[in-house]
Short mmCIF file of all heavy atoms in Angstrom, two decimals:
data_model
loop_
_atom_site.label_atom_id
_atom_site.label_comp_id
_atom_site.label_asym_id
_atom_site.label_seq_id
_atom_site.Cartn_x
_atom_site.Cartn_y
_atom_site.Cartn_z
N VAL A 19 -21.73 6.02 -20.38
CA VAL A 19 -20.30 6.05 -20.66
C VAL A 19 -19.79 4.62 -20.76
O VAL A 19 -20.31 3.71 -20.09
CB VAL A 19 -19.54 6.82 -19.56
CG1 VAL A 19 -19.66 6.13 -18.21
CG2 VAL A 19 -18.09 7.05 -19.92
N THR A 20 -18.78 4.41 -21.60
CA THR A 20 -18.17 3.08 -21.76
C THR A 20 -16.68 3.16 -21.46
O THR A 20 -15.97 4.00 -22.03
CB THR A 20 -18.39 2.54 -23.18
OG1 THR A 20 -19.80 2.39 -23.40
CG2 THR A 20 -17.73 1.18 -23.35
N LEU A 21 -16.22 2.31 -20.56
CA LEU A 21 -14.80 2.23 -20.21
C LEU A 21 -14.20 1.01 -20.90
O LEU A 21 -14.76 -0.09 -20.84
CB LEU A 21 -14.64 2.10 -18.70
CG LEU A 21 -15.35 3.16 -17.84
CD1 LEU A 21 -14.99 2.97 -16.37
CD2 LEU A 21 -15.03 4.56 -18.29
N SER A 22 -13.05 1.20 -21.53
CA SER A 22 -12.44 0.14 -22.34
C SER A 22 -11.45 -0.69 -21.53
O SER A 22 -10.81 -0.19 -20.60
CB SER A 22 -11.70 0.75 -23.52
OG SER A 22 -12.57 1.50 -24.33
N CYS A 23 -11.34 -1.95 -21.92
CA CYS A 23 -10.37 -2.85 -21.30
C CYS A 23 -10.02 -3.95 -22.29
O CYS A 23 -10.92 -4.55 -22.89
CB CYS A 23 -10.95 -3.47 -20.03
SG CYS A 23 -9.91 -4.76 -19.28
N THR A 24 -8.75 -4.18 -22.50
CA THR A 24 -8.30 -5.36 -23.24
C THR A 24 -7.33 -6.12 -22.37
O THR A 24 -6.70 -5.56 -21.47
CB THR A 24 -7.63 -4.98 -24.57
OG1 THR A 24 -6.51 -4.13 -24.30
CG2 THR A 24 -8.59 -4.27 -25.51
N TYR A 25 -7.22 -7.42 -22.63
CA TYR A 25 -6.36 -8.24 -21.78
C TYR A 25 -5.64 -9.25 -22.65
O TYR A 25 -6.00 -9.47 -23.82
CB TYR A 25 -7.19 -8.94 -20.70
CG TYR A 25 -8.29 -9.80 -21.26
CD1 TYR A 25 -8.08 -11.17 -21.48
CD2 TYR A 25 -9.53 -9.26 -21.58
CE1 TYR A 25 -9.07 -11.95 -22.02
CE2 TYR A 25 -10.53 -10.04 -22.11
CZ TYR A 25 -10.30 -11.39 -22.33
OH TYR A 25 -11.30 -12.17 -22.88
N ASP A 26 -4.64 -9.85 -22.09
CA ASP A 26 -3.87 -10.85 -22.82
C ASP A 26 -3.60 -12.03 -21.91
O ASP A 26 -3.04 -11.88 -20.82
CB ASP A 26 -2.55 -10.25 -23.32
CG ASP A 26 -1.82 -11.20 -24.25
OD1 ASP A 26 -2.48 -12.07 -24.86
OD2 ASP A 26 -0.58 -11.08 -24.38
N THR A 27 -4.02 -13.19 -22.34
CA THR A 27 -3.74 -14.42 -21.64
C THR A 27 -3.81 -15.56 -22.63
O THR A 27 -4.57 -15.51 -23.60
CB THR A 27 -4.73 -14.66 -20.48
OG1 THR A 27 -4.42 -15.91 -19.86
CG2 THR A 27 -6.17 -14.68 -20.97
N SER A 28 -3.03 -16.60 -22.38
CA SER A 28 -3.07 -17.79 -23.23
C SER A 28 -4.03 -18.83 -22.67
O SER A 28 -4.28 -19.85 -23.30
CB SER A 28 -1.67 -18.40 -23.35
OG SER A 28 -1.15 -18.67 -22.06
N GLU A 29 -4.61 -18.54 -21.50
CA GLU A 29 -5.54 -19.46 -20.90
C GLU A 29 -6.89 -19.37 -21.61
O GLU A 29 -7.24 -18.34 -22.20
CB GLU A 29 -5.73 -19.14 -19.42
CG GLU A 29 -4.45 -19.20 -18.61
CD GLU A 29 -3.92 -20.61 -18.47
OE1 GLU A 29 -4.74 -21.54 -18.40
OE2 GLU A 29 -2.69 -20.78 -18.42
N SER A 30 -7.67 -20.44 -21.54
CA SER A 30 -9.00 -20.43 -22.15
C SER A 30 -10.09 -20.28 -21.10
O SER A 30 -11.21 -19.89 -21.42
CB SER A 30 -9.24 -21.73 -22.93
OG SER A 30 -9.10 -22.84 -22.06
N ASP A 31 -9.75 -20.57 -19.85
CA ASP A 31 -10.73 -20.51 -18.78
C ASP A 31 -10.28 -19.48 -17.76
O ASP A 31 -9.24 -19.66 -17.11
CB ASP A 31 -10.87 -21.89 -18.12
CG ASP A 31 -12.05 -21.94 -17.19
OD1 ASP A 31 -12.95 -21.08 -17.32
OD2 ASP A 31 -12.10 -22.85 -16.34
N TYR A 32 -11.04 -18.42 -17.62
CA TYR A 32 -10.66 -17.35 -16.69
C TYR A 32 -11.90 -16.54 -16.35
O TYR A 32 -12.98 -16.76 -16.91
CB TYR A 32 -9.57 -16.46 -17.28
CG TYR A 32 -9.84 -15.98 -18.69
CD1 TYR A 32 -10.54 -14.80 -18.93
CD2 TYR A 32 -9.41 -16.72 -19.79
CE1 TYR A 32 -10.81 -14.39 -20.22
CE2 TYR A 32 -9.67 -16.30 -21.08
CZ TYR A 32 -10.37 -15.14 -21.29
OH TYR A 32 -10.64 -14.73 -22.58
N TYR A 33 -11.74 -15.63 -15.42
CA TYR A 33 -12.85 -14.80 -14.97
C TYR A 33 -12.41 -13.34 -15.03
O TYR A 33 -11.28 -13.00 -14.71
CB TYR A 33 -13.25 -15.17 -13.54
CG TYR A 33 -13.75 -16.58 -13.44
CD1 TYR A 33 -12.87 -17.64 -13.27
CD2 TYR A 33 -15.11 -16.87 -13.55
CE1 TYR A 33 -13.31 -18.94 -13.21
CE2 TYR A 33 -15.56 -18.18 -13.49
CZ TYR A 33 -14.65 -19.21 -13.32
OH TYR A 33 -15.11 -20.50 -13.27
N LEU A 34 -13.34 -12.48 -15.42
CA LEU A 34 -13.05 -11.07 -15.60
C LEU A 34 -13.88 -10.26 -14.62
O LEU A 34 -15.02 -10.61 -14.29
CB LEU A 34 -13.40 -10.63 -17.03
CG LEU A 34 -12.55 -11.30 -18.10
CD1 LEU A 34 -13.34 -11.47 -19.38
CD2 LEU A 34 -11.30 -10.47 -18.37
N PHE A 35 -13.29 -9.17 -14.14
CA PHE A 35 -13.94 -8.35 -13.12
C PHE A 35 -13.75 -6.86 -13.45
O PHE A 35 -12.74 -6.46 -14.04
CB PHE A 35 -13.30 -8.59 -11.74
CG PHE A 35 -13.35 -10.01 -11.26
CD1 PHE A 35 -12.39 -10.93 -11.66
CD2 PHE A 35 -14.35 -10.43 -10.39
CE1 PHE A 35 -12.43 -12.25 -11.21
CE2 PHE A 35 -14.39 -11.74 -9.94
CZ PHE A 35 -13.42 -12.65 -10.34
N TRP A 36 -14.72 -6.09 -13.02
CA TRP A 36 -14.55 -4.64 -12.91
C TRP A 36 -14.72 -4.28 -11.43
O TRP A 36 -15.71 -4.66 -10.80
CB TRP A 36 -15.59 -3.88 -13.74
CG TRP A 36 -15.22 -3.75 -15.18
CD1 TRP A 36 -15.64 -4.51 -16.22
CD2 TRP A 36 -14.35 -2.75 -15.74
NE1 TRP A 36 -15.09 -4.07 -17.40
CE2 TRP A 36 -14.30 -2.99 -17.13
CE3 TRP A 36 -13.63 -1.67 -15.22
CZ2 TRP A 36 -13.55 -2.20 -18.01
CZ3 TRP A 36 -12.89 -0.89 -16.08
CH2 TRP A 36 -12.85 -1.16 -17.45
N TYR A 37 -13.72 -3.54 -10.92
CA TYR A 37 -13.76 -3.04 -9.55
C TYR A 37 -13.81 -1.52 -9.60
O TYR A 37 -13.25 -0.88 -10.50
CB TYR A 37 -12.52 -3.47 -8.76
CG TYR A 37 -12.54 -4.89 -8.26
CD1 TYR A 37 -12.06 -5.93 -9.05
CD2 TYR A 37 -13.02 -5.20 -6.99
CE1 TYR A 37 -12.06 -7.24 -8.58
CE2 TYR A 37 -13.02 -6.50 -6.52
CZ TYR A 37 -12.54 -7.52 -7.32
OH TYR A 37 -12.54 -8.81 -6.85
N LYS A 38 -14.45 -0.95 -8.59
CA LYS A 38 -14.58 0.50 -8.45
C LYS A 38 -13.88 0.94 -7.18
O LYS A 38 -14.06 0.29 -6.13
CB LYS A 38 -16.07 0.85 -8.39
CG LYS A 38 -16.41 2.25 -7.96
CD LYS A 38 -17.93 2.38 -7.80
CE LYS A 38 -18.31 3.75 -7.27
NZ LYS A 38 -19.78 3.86 -7.09
N GLN A 39 -13.08 2.00 -7.26
CA GLN A 39 -12.42 2.53 -6.08
C GLN A 39 -12.81 4.01 -5.94
O GLN A 39 -12.23 4.87 -6.59
CB GLN A 39 -10.90 2.39 -6.17
CG GLN A 39 -10.18 2.79 -4.89
CD GLN A 39 -8.67 2.65 -5.01
OE1 GLN A 39 -8.09 3.01 -6.03
NE2 GLN A 39 -8.02 2.13 -3.97
N PRO A 40 -13.78 4.31 -5.09
CA PRO A 40 -14.18 5.71 -4.88
C PRO A 40 -13.13 6.46 -4.06
O PRO A 40 -12.18 5.84 -3.56
CB PRO A 40 -15.50 5.58 -4.12
CG PRO A 40 -15.47 4.24 -3.48
CD PRO A 40 -14.58 3.37 -4.31
N PRO A 41 -13.29 7.77 -3.89
CA PRO A 41 -12.32 8.53 -3.10
C PRO A 41 -12.15 8.00 -1.67
O PRO A 41 -11.10 8.20 -1.07
CB PRO A 41 -12.92 9.94 -3.11
CG PRO A 41 -13.69 10.00 -4.38
CD PRO A 41 -14.27 8.62 -4.56
N SER A 42 -13.15 7.31 -1.15
CA SER A 42 -13.02 6.72 0.18
C SER A 42 -12.01 5.58 0.21
O SER A 42 -11.65 5.10 1.27
CB SER A 42 -14.38 6.19 0.65
OG SER A 42 -14.81 5.15 -0.21
N ARG A 43 -11.58 5.13 -0.97
CA ARG A 43 -10.50 4.18 -1.18
C ARG A 43 -10.86 2.70 -1.14
O ARG A 43 -10.10 1.90 -1.62
CB ARG A 43 -9.34 4.41 -0.21
CG ARG A 43 -8.69 5.73 -0.38
CD ARG A 43 -7.34 5.89 0.27
NE ARG A 43 -7.05 5.11 1.43
CZ ARG A 43 -6.27 5.56 2.43
NH1 ARG A 43 -5.81 6.78 2.40
NH2 ARG A 43 -5.98 4.78 3.44
N GLN A 44 -12.01 2.33 -0.58
CA GLN A 44 -12.28 0.90 -0.53
C GLN A 44 -12.71 0.38 -1.90
O GLN A 44 -13.66 0.86 -2.50
CB GLN A 44 -13.36 0.58 0.50
CG GLN A 44 -13.58 -0.91 0.66
CD GLN A 44 -14.46 -1.27 1.81
OE1 GLN A 44 -15.45 -0.59 2.06
NE2 GLN A 44 -14.12 -2.32 2.53
N MET A 45 -12.02 -0.63 -2.37
CA MET A 45 -12.29 -1.25 -3.66
C MET A 45 -13.55 -2.10 -3.56
O MET A 45 -13.70 -2.91 -2.63
CB MET A 45 -11.10 -2.16 -4.03
CG MET A 45 -11.04 -2.54 -5.45
SD MET A 45 -10.19 -1.32 -6.44
CE MET A 45 -8.52 -1.65 -5.95
N ILE A 46 -14.46 -1.89 -4.53
CA ILE A 46 -15.75 -2.58 -4.50
C ILE A 46 -15.94 -3.31 -5.82
O ILE A 46 -15.69 -2.75 -6.88
CB ILE A 46 -16.89 -1.56 -4.31
CG1 ILE A 46 -16.68 -0.74 -3.03
CG2 ILE A 46 -18.25 -2.26 -4.25
CD1 ILE A 46 -17.51 0.51 -2.99
N LEU A 47 -16.42 -4.55 -5.77
CA LEU A 47 -16.71 -5.29 -6.98
C LEU A 47 -17.93 -4.69 -7.67
O LEU A 47 -18.97 -4.48 -7.06
CB LEU A 47 -16.99 -6.76 -6.66
CG LEU A 47 -17.40 -7.63 -7.84
CD1 LEU A 47 -16.24 -7.81 -8.81
CD2 LEU A 47 -17.91 -8.98 -7.36
#
Side-chain angles (χ1 to χ4, degrees):
Chain A
V19 64
T20 298
L21 307 185
S22 301
C23 173
T24 58
Y25 58 93
D26 188 24
T27 179
S28 56
E29 301 291 326
S30 58
D31 191 19
Y32 49 89
Y33 297 85
L34 296 148
F35 301 84
W36 277 98
Y37 281 88
K38 167 186 176 181
Q39 187 181 42
S42 63
R43 297 195 333 213
Q44 185 170 39
M45 197 86 75
I46 303 163
L47 176 68

